[in-house]
């Protein structure tokens, strides 16, 4: 499968501070890839390296089969980029802003622009500096969709937005970007879970895993064991069992390599006297919290 984004041992340091450490990332063409991780993990730095805003300290990265450091205007004509801190010419009206940008993109679609203006209810005669944050993000997204890019890169686009605006942005993105690769970093895990096809988890400046969301959701389970009396906790746990805790006759942990057929025997080997076992699915936010806490404890 062709990769829209690929990195090999990508590293970035700022003097003595490491931001990225040997990141190997592969984003399949046509996927909706969510990059998640704690604050300071390196998500924004990774995107800036991909967009040739920052130079890597080591390794390499490719975007649309082109080395990031060699990206030229003709390549950016196929890439849409929206950042939470995006600088926009505040003195321009929305309409003038879109007209101004259209000259730089050979594939700019005026009819699609009109549809996006209508869908996002953009006030074309109002200056950008007078728009709310939600409207600014809608204008930025519309300007990145109107030329039908092959790749859309979004860096924390939902930060500070209310639920209705987030839903409108996602609806517009998915409706107008069919077949386009979408690469998005976000702390809004519930929103990411609602539409992403792939998830990458960046922590401690390394990519801890990268896989399809369906596969990720299938291998994480919360296990709850009930005993007649408070059990003795084992000194050693399987490395795939995260956040073990005991409260009276109940033991809880997260199994990060859940195997429906083998979990019973595995639990019985450590807790032969358990009376009942409950297996609960986990939303992406719970998975993220379990991984983040385990990373801090290690």
């Amino acid at each position: 499968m062709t990769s829209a984004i690929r990195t090999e041992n990508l590293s970035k340091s700022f003097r003595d501070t490491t931001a990225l450490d040997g990141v190997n990332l592969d984003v399949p063409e046509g996927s909706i890839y969510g990059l998640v991780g704690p604050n300071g993990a390196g998500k924004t730095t990774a995107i800036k390296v991909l967009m040739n805003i920052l130079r890597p300290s080591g390794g390499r990265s490719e975007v649309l089969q082109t080395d990031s450091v060699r990206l030229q205007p003709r390549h950016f004509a196929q890439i849409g980029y929206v950042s939470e801190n995006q600088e926009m010419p505040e003195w321009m009206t929305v309409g003038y802003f879109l007209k101004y940008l259209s000259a730089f993109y050979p594939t700019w679609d005026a009819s699609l622009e009109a549809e996006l203006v209508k869908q996002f209810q953009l006030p074309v005669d109002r200056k950008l500096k007078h728009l709310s944050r939600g409207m600014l993000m809608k204008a930025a997204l519309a300007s990145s969709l109107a030329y039908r890019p092959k790749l859309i890169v979004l860096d924390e686009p939902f930060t500070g937005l209310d639920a209705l605006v987030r839903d409108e942005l996602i609806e517009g993105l998915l409706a107008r970007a069919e077949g386009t690769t979408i690469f998005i970093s976000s702390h809004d895990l519930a929103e990411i879970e609602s539409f992403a096809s792939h998830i990458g988890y960046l922590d401690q400046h390394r990519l801890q895993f990268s896989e399809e969301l369906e596969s990720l959701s299938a291998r994480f389970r919360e296990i709850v064991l009930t005993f007649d009396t408070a059990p003795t906790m084992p000194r050693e746990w399987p490395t795939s069992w995260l956040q073990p805790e005991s409260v009276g006759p109940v033991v809880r942990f997260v199994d990060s390599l859940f195997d429906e057929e083998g979990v019973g025997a595995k639990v019985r080997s450590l807790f032969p006297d358990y009376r009942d076992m409950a297996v609960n699915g986990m939303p992406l936010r719970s998975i993220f919290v379990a991984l983040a806490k385990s990373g801090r404890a290690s």
Side-chain angles (χ1 to χ4, degrees):
M1 181 178 292
T2 304
S3 300
I5 294 173
R6 187 166 65 89
T7 70
E8 296 178 0
N9 297 316
L10 185 66
S11 300
K12 178 63 182 177
S13 298
F14 299 93
R15 294 187 178 180
D16 297 330
T17 302
T18 298
L20 298 172
D21 184 10
V23 172
N24 293 299
L25 179 66
D26 196 333
V27 178
E29 201 171 74
S31 65
I32 302 176
Y33 192 105
L35 185 66
V36 302
N39 286 330
K43 300 185 298 296
T44 293
T45 298
I47 287 178
K48 287 184 176 181
V49 171
L50 291 171
M51 294 293 96
N52 199 19
I53 297 171
L54 294 175
R55 291 270 178 161
S57 302
R60 66 191 305 270
S61 60
E62 289 184 356
V63 175
L64 299 180
Q65 297 81 56
T66 301
D67 193 310
S68 293
V69 300
R70 299 182 183 277
L71 289 174
Q72 301 291 327
R74 60 187 176 89
H75 299 114
F76 285 112
Q78 304 177 73
I79 302 170
Y81 173 58
V82 177
S83 167
E84 65 168 324
N85 297 316
Q86 190 148 339
E87 294 185 7
M88 300 171 71
E90 296 184 341
W91 59 273
M92 289 186 182
T93 64
V94 172
Y96 187 77
F97 173 63
L98 295 173
K99 182 179 180 181
Y100 170 79
L101 289 178
S102 66
F104 294 94
Y105 297 94
T107 57
W108 190 278
D109 187 332
S111 61
L112 177 56
E113 174 197 332
E115 292 174 10
L116 289 164
V117 167
K118 181 178 180 180
Q119 180 175 1
F120 289 146
Q121 298 180 322
L122 292 172
V124 292
D125 295 326
R126 189 177 304 171
K127 289 186 177 181
L128 294 171
K129 66 180 179 181
H130 294 146
L131 297 184
S132 66
R133 172 162 172 74
M135 275 296 178
L136 272 175
M137 293 306 296
K138 288 180 179 181
L141 184 58
S143 71
S144 294
L145 289 173
Y147 51 95
R148 301 186 183 276
K150 293 182 178 179
L151 170 67
I152 298 175
V153 178
L154 307 171
D155 186 11
E156 296 287 357
F158 306 131
T159 301
L161 302 181
D162 62 46
L164 177 59
V165 174
R166 291 199 304 268
D167 286 348
E168 289 173 344
L169 283 173
I170 293 171
E171 182 182 343
L173 178 64
L174 298 181
R176 306 297 177 179
E178 185 176 355
T180 300
T181 305
I182 300 172
F183 184 74
I184 176 172
S185 76
S186 178
H187 287 99
D188 199 325
L189 299 175
E191 298 292 358
I192 289 288
E193 188 173 25
S194 70
F195 66 89
S197 62
H198 294 68
I199 292 291
Y201 179 70
L202 194 64
D203 190 19
Q204 299 178 4
H205 317 298
R206 289 178 172 268
L207 190 68
Q208 304 297 332
F209 65 76
S210 176
E211 60 188 287
E212 292 186 17
L213 180 58
E214 183 177 354
S215 168
L216 176 67
S217 298
R219 71 179 178 88
F220 274 84
R221 290 292 185 275
E222 180 194 44
I223 309 296
V224 182
L225 305 177
T226 305
F227 300 78
D228 292 322
T229 59
T232 300
M233 298 288 277
R235 293 183 177 180
E236 295 186 2
W237 289 75
T239 56
S240 61
W241 289 6
L242 313 177
Q243 289 188 273
E245 62 178 13
S246 174
V247 180
V250 177
V251 171
R252 299 174 184 270
F253 61 90
V254 173
D255 189 350
S256 63
L257 292 175
F258 176 72
D259 175 11
E260 187 173 3
E261 296 181 358
V263 66
K266 199 172 182 179
V267 168
R268 185 71 70 183
S269 68
L270 290 177
F271 297 103
D273 299 326
Y274 81 87
R275 175 166 51 84
D276 184 55
M277 178 173 66
V279 178
N280 305 318
M282 300 176 64
L284 184 58
R285 183 181 184 281
S286 297
I287 294 173
F288 173 88
V289 169
L291 290 168
K293 287 184 176 179
S294 297
R296 291 172 184 172
S298 60

